[in-house]
Amino acid sequence: MVKIWYNVVMKTILTGIRINSEPTLGNFLGALLPMVRLSNEYSAKGWQVNIFVPDLHSIISDIDGDFQKNLVNSIKYYLAAGLKANQNVHFYRQSYVPAHSEMAWILNCVATMGEMNRMTQYKEKSEGKSSVNVGVFDYPVLMAADILLYSANYIPVGEDQFQHIELTRNLAMRINHKYGDILTVPEKTEEQAKFMGQTNGDGIRIRDLTNPEKKMSKSTPGENSKIMLLDIPEKAAKKIMSATTDSYAKIQYDMFNQPGISNLLQIEALINNQPLQEVISTWSGETHYGDLKKQVADSVSTFLANFQADFSAISDEQVYELLEVGEQYANDVADKKLMELQKVFRLR
Ligand code: TYM
Protein backbone atom coordinates (compact mmCIF):
# COMPACT_ATOMS: atom_id res chain seq x y z
CA MET A 1 0.00 0.00 0.00
CA VAL A 2 1.38 3.40 -0.97
CA LYS A 3 0.99 6.16 1.56
CA ILE A 4 0.99 9.69 0.27
CA TRP A 5 1.85 12.44 2.71
CA TYR A 6 0.67 15.86 1.78
CA ASN A 7 2.91 18.56 3.07
CA VAL A 8 0.37 21.27 3.85
CA VAL A 9 2.06 24.56 4.66
CA MET A 10 0.00 26.65 7.02
CA LYS A 11 0.14 30.32 6.14
CA THR A 12 -0.18 33.50 8.16
CA ILE A 13 -2.53 36.44 7.69
CA LEU A 14 -1.71 39.62 9.61
CA THR A 15 -3.05 43.12 9.98
CA GLY A 16 -3.18 46.14 12.30
CA ILE A 17 -5.15 49.37 12.60
CA ARG A 18 -3.79 52.42 14.40
CA ILE A 19 -5.65 53.78 17.40
CA ASN A 20 -5.37 57.52 16.91
CA SER A 21 -9.15 57.78 16.77
CA GLU A 22 -12.25 55.74 16.19
CA PRO A 23 -11.99 54.03 12.75
CA THR A 24 -13.84 55.28 9.69
CA LEU A 25 -16.00 53.20 7.39
CA GLY A 26 -12.92 53.28 5.10
CA ASN A 27 -10.76 51.54 7.71
CA PHE A 28 -13.59 49.13 8.32
CA LEU A 29 -14.29 48.15 4.72
CA GLY A 30 -10.67 48.38 3.57
CA ALA A 31 -9.05 46.27 6.26
CA LEU A 32 -11.10 45.31 9.30
CA LEU A 33 -14.03 43.53 7.66
CA PRO A 34 -11.88 41.67 5.09
CA MET A 35 -9.69 40.52 7.99
CA VAL A 36 -12.71 39.26 9.92
CA ARG A 37 -14.01 37.31 6.93
CA LEU A 38 -10.61 35.86 6.05
CA SER A 39 -9.89 35.00 9.67
CA ASN A 40 -13.12 33.10 10.09
CA GLU A 41 -12.49 31.17 6.90
CA TYR A 42 -8.78 30.41 7.22
CA SER A 43 -8.17 30.08 10.96
CA ALA A 44 -10.64 27.19 10.88
CA LYS A 45 -8.30 25.52 8.35
CA GLY A 46 -5.29 25.92 10.63
CA TRP A 47 -3.80 29.13 9.24
CA GLN A 48 -2.40 31.59 11.77
CA VAL A 49 -4.18 34.93 12.03
CA ASN A 50 -2.39 37.80 13.74
CA ILE A 51 -4.29 40.92 14.66
CA PHE A 52 -2.15 43.45 16.42
CA VAL A 53 -2.50 46.98 17.73
CA PRO A 54 0.19 49.18 16.14
CA ASP A 55 0.48 51.41 19.20
CA LEU A 56 4.04 52.45 18.25
CA HIS A 57 2.80 53.52 14.83
CA SER A 58 0.02 55.46 16.52
CA ILE A 59 2.35 57.75 18.47
CA ILE A 60 3.70 59.36 15.29
CA SER A 61 0.72 61.71 15.47
CA ASP A 62 -1.83 63.11 17.93
CA ILE A 63 -4.32 60.84 19.64
CA ASP A 64 -8.04 61.71 19.81
CA GLY A 65 -9.55 60.53 23.06
CA ASP A 66 -8.13 58.12 25.60
CA PHE A 67 -5.25 56.04 24.15
CA GLN A 68 -5.88 52.94 26.29
CA LYS A 69 -9.61 53.07 25.67
CA ASN A 70 -9.04 53.38 21.92
CA LEU A 71 -6.71 50.40 22.19
CA VAL A 72 -9.25 48.14 23.90
CA ASN A 73 -11.99 49.33 21.55
CA SER A 74 -9.84 48.52 18.54
CA ILE A 75 -9.96 44.82 19.46
CA LYS A 76 -13.67 45.03 20.23
CA TYR A 77 -14.31 46.25 16.67
CA TYR A 78 -13.07 42.95 15.23
CA LEU A 79 -15.18 40.94 17.64
CA ALA A 80 -18.27 43.07 17.04
CA ALA A 81 -17.78 42.61 13.29
CA GLY A 82 -18.11 38.86 13.80
CA LEU A 83 -14.55 37.62 14.27
CA LYS A 84 -14.55 34.23 15.96
CA ALA A 85 -11.68 33.92 18.42
CA ASN A 86 -9.96 30.52 18.47
CA GLN A 87 -6.48 29.10 19.14
CA ASN A 88 -5.22 30.18 15.70
CA VAL A 89 -6.21 33.83 16.11
CA HIS A 90 -3.75 35.97 18.05
CA PHE A 91 -4.26 39.49 19.38
CA TYR A 92 -1.33 41.53 20.67
CA ARG A 93 -0.01 45.03 21.22
CA GLN A 94 3.02 45.96 19.15
CA SER A 95 4.82 47.63 22.06
CA TYR A 96 4.40 44.50 24.20
CA VAL A 97 6.58 42.58 21.74
CA PRO A 98 9.96 44.34 21.88
CA ALA A 99 11.26 42.36 18.89
CA HIS A 100 9.32 44.74 16.59
CA SER A 101 11.53 47.70 17.49
CA GLU A 102 14.70 45.59 17.34
CA MET A 103 13.81 44.19 13.96
CA ALA A 104 12.94 47.67 12.69
CA TRP A 105 16.45 48.85 13.54
CA ILE A 106 18.04 46.00 11.61
CA LEU A 107 15.77 46.75 8.64
CA ASN A 108 16.74 50.44 8.90
CA CYS A 109 20.25 49.30 8.07
CA VAL A 110 18.96 47.58 4.92
CA ALA A 111 16.44 50.15 3.61
CA THR A 112 17.86 53.00 1.57
CA MET A 113 17.10 56.72 1.83
CA GLY A 114 16.15 56.66 -1.86
CA GLU A 115 13.36 54.10 -1.44
CA MET A 116 12.15 55.67 1.80
CA ASN A 117 11.98 59.12 0.19
CA ARG A 118 9.62 57.70 -2.43
CA MET A 119 6.98 56.64 0.13
CA THR A 120 3.77 58.48 -0.75
CA GLN A 121 2.37 58.45 2.78
CA TYR A 122 5.47 60.22 4.07
CA LYS A 123 5.28 62.79 1.27
CA GLU A 124 1.60 63.45 2.02
CA LYS A 125 2.05 63.66 5.77
CA SER A 126 5.05 65.97 5.55
CA GLU A 127 3.79 68.25 2.78
CA GLY A 128 3.77 71.89 3.83
CA LYS A 129 5.03 71.13 7.35
CA SER A 130 8.10 72.93 8.66
CA SER A 131 8.98 70.04 10.96
CA VAL A 132 8.11 66.33 10.82
CA ASN A 133 9.14 63.66 13.33
CA VAL A 134 11.45 60.84 12.19
CA GLY A 135 8.76 58.28 13.07
CA VAL A 136 6.65 59.52 10.16
CA PHE A 137 9.57 58.85 7.82
CA ASP A 138 10.52 55.50 9.32
CA TYR A 139 6.93 54.24 9.63
CA PRO A 140 7.14 51.78 6.68
CA VAL A 141 10.26 50.09 8.09
CA LEU A 142 8.52 49.36 11.38
CA MET A 143 5.59 48.09 9.35
CA ALA A 144 7.94 45.75 7.45
CA ALA A 145 9.22 44.46 10.80
CA ASP A 146 5.63 43.83 11.96
CA ILE A 147 5.07 41.66 8.91
CA LEU A 148 8.41 39.85 8.50
CA LEU A 149 8.76 38.79 12.15
CA TYR A 150 5.72 36.55 11.74
CA SER A 151 6.45 35.32 8.19
CA ALA A 152 3.10 36.72 7.10
CA ASN A 153 1.94 35.85 3.59
CA TYR A 154 -1.22 37.92 3.36
CA ILE A 155 -1.75 41.37 4.84
CA PRO A 156 -5.29 42.69 4.47
CA VAL A 157 -4.87 46.46 4.15
CA GLY A 158 -6.37 49.23 2.05
CA GLU A 159 -4.84 50.33 -1.22
CA ASP A 160 -3.02 53.25 0.44
CA GLN A 161 -0.77 50.74 2.25
CA PHE A 162 0.22 48.71 -0.82
CA GLN A 163 3.40 50.70 -1.33
CA HIS A 164 4.51 49.65 2.17
CA ILE A 165 3.87 45.99 1.32
CA GLU A 166 6.04 46.41 -1.77
CA LEU A 167 8.79 47.90 0.39
CA THR A 168 8.46 44.95 2.81
CA ARG A 169 8.84 42.52 -0.08
CA ASN A 170 11.91 44.35 -1.36
CA LEU A 171 13.61 44.39 2.04
CA ALA A 172 12.90 40.68 2.56
CA MET A 173 14.21 39.77 -0.90
CA ARG A 174 17.34 41.87 -0.36
CA ILE A 175 18.11 40.10 2.92
CA ASN A 176 17.36 36.66 1.48
CA HIS A 177 19.60 37.37 -1.50
CA LYS A 178 22.49 38.23 0.76
CA TYR A 179 22.04 35.79 3.64
CA GLY A 180 19.95 32.89 2.33
CA ASP A 181 16.23 32.28 2.60
CA ILE A 182 15.47 33.38 6.12
CA LEU A 183 12.49 35.68 5.58
CA THR A 184 9.12 34.90 4.05
CA VAL A 185 8.36 37.32 1.23
CA PRO A 186 4.68 38.37 1.43
CA GLU A 187 2.55 37.92 -1.68
CA LYS A 188 2.51 40.63 -4.37
CA THR A 189 -0.06 43.37 -3.89
CA GLU A 190 -2.18 42.12 -6.79
CA GLU A 191 -2.43 38.74 -5.08
CA GLN A 192 -3.18 40.46 -1.77
CA ALA A 193 -6.11 42.26 -3.42
CA LYS A 194 -7.42 39.05 -4.97
CA PHE A 195 -7.14 37.27 -1.64
CA MET A 196 -9.34 40.02 -0.20
CA GLY A 197 -11.95 39.28 -2.88
CA GLN A 198 -11.01 42.10 -5.27
CA THR A 199 -11.09 40.05 -8.46
CA ASN A 200 -9.61 42.88 -10.56
CA GLY A 201 -6.47 42.86 -8.37
CA ASP A 202 -6.99 46.48 -7.23
CA GLY A 203 -6.83 47.44 -3.58
CA ILE A 204 -9.81 48.85 -1.71
CA ARG A 205 -10.05 52.63 -1.43
CA ILE A 206 -13.24 54.04 0.07
CA ARG A 207 -13.71 57.66 -0.98
CA ASP A 208 -14.42 60.83 0.95
CA LEU A 209 -18.19 61.38 0.76
CA THR A 210 -17.95 65.10 0.04
CA ASN A 211 -14.88 64.96 -2.18
CA PRO A 212 -14.77 61.50 -3.81
CA GLU A 213 -11.50 62.29 -5.59
CA LYS A 214 -9.85 61.69 -2.20
CA LYS A 215 -9.86 58.67 0.12
CA MET A 216 -12.06 58.72 3.21
CA SER A 217 -9.73 59.64 6.07
CA LYS A 218 -10.13 60.24 9.79
CA SER A 219 -7.85 63.27 9.51
CA THR A 220 -10.00 65.10 6.95
CA PRO A 221 -11.97 67.90 8.63
CA GLY A 222 -15.69 68.01 7.89
CA GLU A 223 -18.24 65.76 9.58
CA ASN A 224 -19.97 64.77 6.34
CA SER A 225 -16.84 63.59 4.56
CA LYS A 226 -16.57 60.40 6.59
CA ILE A 227 -18.60 57.87 8.54
CA MET A 228 -17.23 56.79 11.89
CA LEU A 229 -17.98 53.33 13.27
CA LEU A 230 -19.74 54.73 16.31
CA ASP A 231 -21.78 57.32 14.38
CA ILE A 232 -25.48 57.28 15.20
CA PRO A 233 -26.97 55.15 12.35
CA GLU A 234 -29.49 57.85 11.28
CA LYS A 235 -26.69 60.40 11.12
CA ALA A 236 -24.61 58.06 8.96
CA ALA A 237 -27.60 57.54 6.66
CA LYS A 238 -27.93 61.31 6.22
CA LYS A 239 -24.25 61.55 5.28
CA ILE A 240 -24.77 58.97 2.54
CA MET A 241 -27.90 60.78 1.31
CA SER A 242 -25.91 64.01 0.97
CA ALA A 243 -22.84 62.38 -0.65
CA THR A 244 -21.38 64.22 -3.63
CA THR A 245 -22.12 62.49 -6.95
CA ASP A 246 -22.11 63.92 -10.51
CA SER A 247 -24.38 65.21 -13.25
CA TYR A 248 -24.23 62.24 -15.67
CA ALA A 249 -27.65 61.03 -14.40
CA LYS A 250 -26.60 57.46 -15.15
CA ILE A 251 -25.43 54.86 -12.66
CA GLN A 252 -22.28 53.10 -13.82
CA TYR A 253 -19.05 51.96 -12.20
CA ASP A 254 -16.38 54.37 -13.36
CA MET A 255 -14.02 55.43 -10.58
CA PHE A 256 -12.31 57.89 -12.88
CA ASN A 257 -15.29 59.92 -14.14
CA GLN A 258 -17.92 59.04 -11.54
CA PRO A 259 -16.02 58.39 -8.30
CA GLY A 260 -18.95 59.36 -6.05
CA ILE A 261 -21.43 56.90 -7.56
CA SER A 262 -18.75 54.21 -7.90
CA ASN A 263 -17.87 54.67 -4.24
CA LEU A 264 -21.49 54.05 -3.24
CA LEU A 265 -21.60 50.86 -5.35
CA GLN A 266 -18.36 49.73 -3.72
CA ILE A 267 -19.68 50.40 -0.19
CA GLU A 268 -22.90 48.53 -0.95
CA ALA A 269 -20.97 45.49 -2.23
CA LEU A 270 -18.45 45.31 0.60
CA ILE A 271 -20.88 45.88 3.44
CA ASN A 272 -23.22 43.14 2.21
CA ASN A 273 -20.38 40.80 1.22
CA GLN A 274 -21.72 40.77 -2.33
CA PRO A 275 -19.49 40.62 -5.44
CA LEU A 276 -19.02 44.15 -6.80
CA GLN A 277 -19.93 42.94 -10.28
CA GLU A 278 -23.31 41.76 -9.02
CA VAL A 279 -24.10 45.14 -7.44
CA ILE A 280 -22.99 46.91 -10.61
CA SER A 281 -25.28 44.73 -12.75
CA THR A 282 -28.24 45.45 -10.46
CA TRP A 283 -27.82 49.22 -10.72
CA SER A 284 -26.21 49.81 -14.12
CA GLY A 285 -28.19 52.13 -16.35
CA GLU A 286 -30.52 53.33 -13.57
CA THR A 287 -30.91 57.08 -13.53
CA HIS A 288 -32.16 57.92 -10.04
CA TYR A 289 -29.17 58.50 -7.82
CA GLY A 290 -31.56 58.97 -4.89
CA ASP A 291 -32.64 55.31 -5.08
CA LEU A 292 -29.06 54.07 -4.89
CA LYS A 293 -28.28 56.47 -2.05
CA LYS A 294 -31.34 55.28 -0.15
CA GLN A 295 -30.29 51.64 -0.57
CA VAL A 296 -26.71 52.32 0.58
CA ALA A 297 -27.94 54.50 3.47
CA ASP A 298 -30.17 51.59 4.60
CA SER A 299 -27.33 49.09 4.32
CA VAL A 300 -24.93 51.31 6.27
CA SER A 301 -27.38 52.27 9.01
CA THR A 302 -28.62 48.69 9.51
CA PHE A 303 -25.05 47.48 9.68
CA LEU A 304 -24.04 50.19 12.19
CA ALA A 305 -27.03 49.51 14.46
CA ASN A 306 -26.19 45.77 14.69
CA PHE A 307 -22.47 46.38 14.97
CA GLN A 308 -22.86 48.92 17.76
CA ALA A 309 -25.18 46.65 19.76
CA ASP A 310 -22.59 43.83 19.55
CA PHE A 311 -19.77 46.23 20.35
CA SER A 312 -21.32 47.41 23.59
CA ALA A 313 -21.81 43.83 24.79
CA ILE A 314 -18.05 43.06 24.80
CA SER A 315 -16.23 43.67 28.07
CA ASP A 316 -12.75 45.13 28.56
CA GLU A 317 -11.79 42.00 30.54
CA GLN A 318 -12.52 39.81 27.52
CA VAL A 319 -10.08 41.92 25.48
CA TYR A 320 -7.31 41.86 28.10
CA GLU A 321 -7.58 38.07 28.36
CA LEU A 322 -7.13 37.76 24.60
CA LEU A 323 -4.14 40.12 24.67
CA GLU A 324 -2.44 38.25 27.47
CA VAL A 325 -2.53 34.92 25.61
CA GLY A 326 -1.73 36.54 22.27
CA GLU A 327 1.30 38.40 23.57
CA GLN A 328 2.90 35.19 24.83
CA TYR A 329 2.47 33.63 21.42
CA ALA A 330 3.69 36.75 19.59
CA ASN A 331 6.83 37.08 21.72
CA ASP A 332 7.72 33.42 21.13
CA VAL A 333 7.34 33.63 17.35
CA ALA A 334 8.92 37.07 16.99
CA ASP A 335 11.93 36.31 19.22
CA LYS A 336 12.77 33.23 17.16
CA LYS A 337 12.73 35.13 13.89
CA LEU A 338 14.64 38.04 15.37
CA MET A 339 17.33 35.67 16.66
CA GLU A 340 17.74 34.18 13.16
CA LEU A 341 18.26 37.65 11.79
CA GLN A 342 20.58 38.71 14.60
CA LYS A 343 22.73 35.66 13.81
CA VAL A 344 23.16 36.47 10.13
CA PHE A 345 23.99 40.06 11.05
CA ARG A 346 26.55 38.54 13.49
CA LEU A 347 24.95 40.25 16.48
CA ARG A 348 24.63 36.82 18.15
P1 TYM B 1 -4.27 52.96 9.62
O1 TYM B 1 -4.82 52.94 10.98
O2 TYM B 1 -3.84 54.26 9.05
O3 TYM B 1 -5.30 52.33 8.63
C1 TYM B 1 -5.89 51.09 8.95
C2 TYM B 1 -6.33 50.34 7.70
O4 TYM B 1 -7.39 51.04 7.05
C3 TYM B 1 -7.10 51.14 5.66
N1 TYM B 1 -7.77 52.35 5.15
C4 TYM B 1 -8.60 52.34 4.10
N2 TYM B 1 -9.01 51.35 3.29
C5 TYM B 1 -9.89 51.70 2.32
N3 TYM B 1 -10.36 52.95 2.13
C6 TYM B 1 -9.97 53.98 2.93
N4 TYM B 1 -10.46 55.19 2.74
C7 TYM B 1 -9.05 53.69 3.97
N5 TYM B 1 -8.46 54.45 4.93
C8 TYM B 1 -7.67 53.60 5.64
C9 TYM B 1 -5.58 51.22 5.61
O5 TYM B 1 -5.12 50.89 4.33
C10 TYM B 1 -5.20 50.23 6.66
O6 TYM B 1 -5.23 48.91 6.15
N6 TYM B 1 0.08 51.18 8.36
C11 TYM B 1 -1.19 50.60 8.80
C12 TYM B 1 -1.08 50.06 10.21
C13 TYM B 1 -0.02 49.01 10.31
C14 TYM B 1 -0.04 47.74 9.67
C15 TYM B 1 1.19 47.12 10.00
C16 TYM B 1 -0.97 47.08 8.86
C17 TYM B 1 1.16 49.10 10.98
N7 TYM B 1 1.88 47.96 10.80
C18 TYM B 1 1.50 45.84 9.52
C19 TYM B 1 -0.64 45.81 8.40
C20 TYM B 1 0.58 45.21 8.72
C21 TYM B 1 -2.27 51.68 8.64
O7 TYM B 1 -2.37 52.27 7.61
O8 TYM B 1 -3.07 51.94 9.66
Side-chain angles (χ1 to χ4, degrees):
M1 196 174 80
V2 182
K3 264 192 182 171
I4 301 173
W5 293 98
Y6 292 98
N7 186 12
V8 183
V9 181
M10 291 306 170
K11 300 199 170 186
T12 299
I13 314 177
L14 176 149
T15 205
I17 293 180
R18 286 182 303 144
I19 49 175
N20 298 70
S21 72
E22 189 189 317
T24 64
L25 190 67
N27 297 133
F28 187 79
L29 296 179
L32 210 145
L33 191 58
M35 186 56 162
V36 169
R37 289 174 180 155
L38 292 169
S39 174
N40 288 348
E41 180 177 351
Y42 287 93
S43 68
K45 295 178 185 162
W47 287 32
Q48 299 304 302
V49 172
N50 290 13
I51 297 176
F52 77 102
V53 183
D55 51 357
L56 295 172
H57 277 111
S58 305
I59 60 171
I60 63 155
S61 52
D62 293 341
I63 310 291
D64 284 352
D66 175 339
F67 195 79
Q68 292 304 320
K69 186 164 172 238
N70 292 358
L71 192 155
V72 172
N73 282 354
S74 76
I75 303 291
K76 291 186 184 176
Y77 297 133
Y78 291 96
L79 303 174
L83 187 133
K84 296 183 187 68
N86 62 44
Q87 79 278 7
N88 294 328
V89 183
H90 315 284
F91 296 95
Y92 51 92
R93 289 162 282 195
Q94 187 184 34
S95 74
Y96 280 61
V97 187
H100 287 241
S101 317
E102 277 289 321
M103 176 79 159
W105 182 259
I106 295 178
L107 297 179
N108 271 335
C109 302
V110 177
T112 67
M113 289 299 286
E115 64 192 342
M116 294 299 286
N117 271 320
R118 286 196 291 276
M119 294 292 120
T120 312
Q121 181 175 292
Y122 165 68
K123 288 196 236 169
E124 284 172 3
K125 285 197 187 291
S126 57
E127 199 183 346
K129 299 223 171 100
S130 57
S131 168
V132 181
N133 70 58
V134 178
V136 176
F137 182 71
D138 206 27
Y139 184 109
V141 172
L142 179 58
M143 183 161 164
D146 301 335
I147 295 167
L148 297 175
L149 276 176
Y150 302 90
S151 308
N153 309 89
Y154 291 104
I155 302 107
V157 284
E159 190 262 347
D160 62 318
Q161 296 299 307
F162 276 11
Q163 199 185 23
H164 297 164
I165 307 242
E166 281 305 333
L167 173 80
T168 306
R169 284 171 48 81
N170 289 336
L171 297 178
M173 287 190 282
R174 203 170 301 155
I175 289 176
N176 285 352
H177 182 69
K178 193 160 177 192
Y179 300 107
D181 275 348
I182 53 171
L183 297 173
T184 299
V185 181
E187 296 292 332
K188 289 189 176 130
T189 51
E190 198 188 337
E191 295 308 316
Q192 301 281 350
K194 288 186 182 156
F195 188 66
M196 291 170 77
Q198 298 300 99
T199 45
N200 55 8
D202 289 342
I204 301 169
R205 170 177 287 248
I206 301 299
R207 310 296 178 120
D208 183 307
L209 295 176
T210 51
N211 178 4
E213 305 286 330
K214 290 174 36 186
K215 72 163 187 175
M216 184 183 286
S217 163
K218 40 197 159 197
S219 55
T220 310
E223 273 269 289
N224 288 339
S225 68
K226 57 203 170 203
I227 290 178
M228 309 304 286
L229 282 192
L230 301 184
D231 269 356
I232 296 165
E234 294 73 36
K235 185 169 138 192
K238 280 195 187 132
K239 292 182 187 178
I240 299 276
M241 292 309 291
S242 64
T244 302
T245 50
D246 54 67
S247 52
Y248 284 78
K250 189 170 179 197
I251 298 179
Q252 50 195 355
Y253 189 80
D254 177 352
M255 264 305 175
F256 190 71
N257 293 307
Q258 295 184 257
I261 282 295
S262 307
N263 192 36
L264 294 179
L265 293 168
Q266 172 80 280
I267 293 174
E268 176 68 6
L270 288 168
I271 216 158
N272 294 312
N273 201 12
Q274 220 184 331
L276 177 60
Q277 213 43 53
E278 211 173 282
V279 176
I280 296 172
S281 317
T282 308
W283 289 93
S284 266
E286 298 285 335
T287 51
H288 293 108
Y289 288 0
D291 294 346
L292 174 63
K293 283 184 171 178
K294 174 88 181 46
Q295 171 63 42
V296 180
D298 280 353
S299 295
V300 169
S301 56
T302 307
F303 153 73
L304 285 181
N306 293 332
F307 172 84
Q308 290 168 8
D310 291 343
F311 174 83
S312 57
I314 304 162
S315 71
D316 290 5
E317 288 68 37
Q318 213 175 320
V319 171
Y320 283 117
E321 275 168 28
L322 289 170
L323 288 172
E324 202 177 311
V325 184
E327 279 154 12
Q328 272 181 23
Y329 164 88
N331 274 297
D332 281 355
V333 176
D335 284 348
K336 280 200 192 93
K337 188 50 80 184
L338 177 65
M339 177 70 91
E340 279 182 54
L341 214 66
Q342 285 170 326
K343 280 188 180 150
V344 297
F345 279 83
R346 289 183 282 171
L347 296 160
R348 292 285 180 279

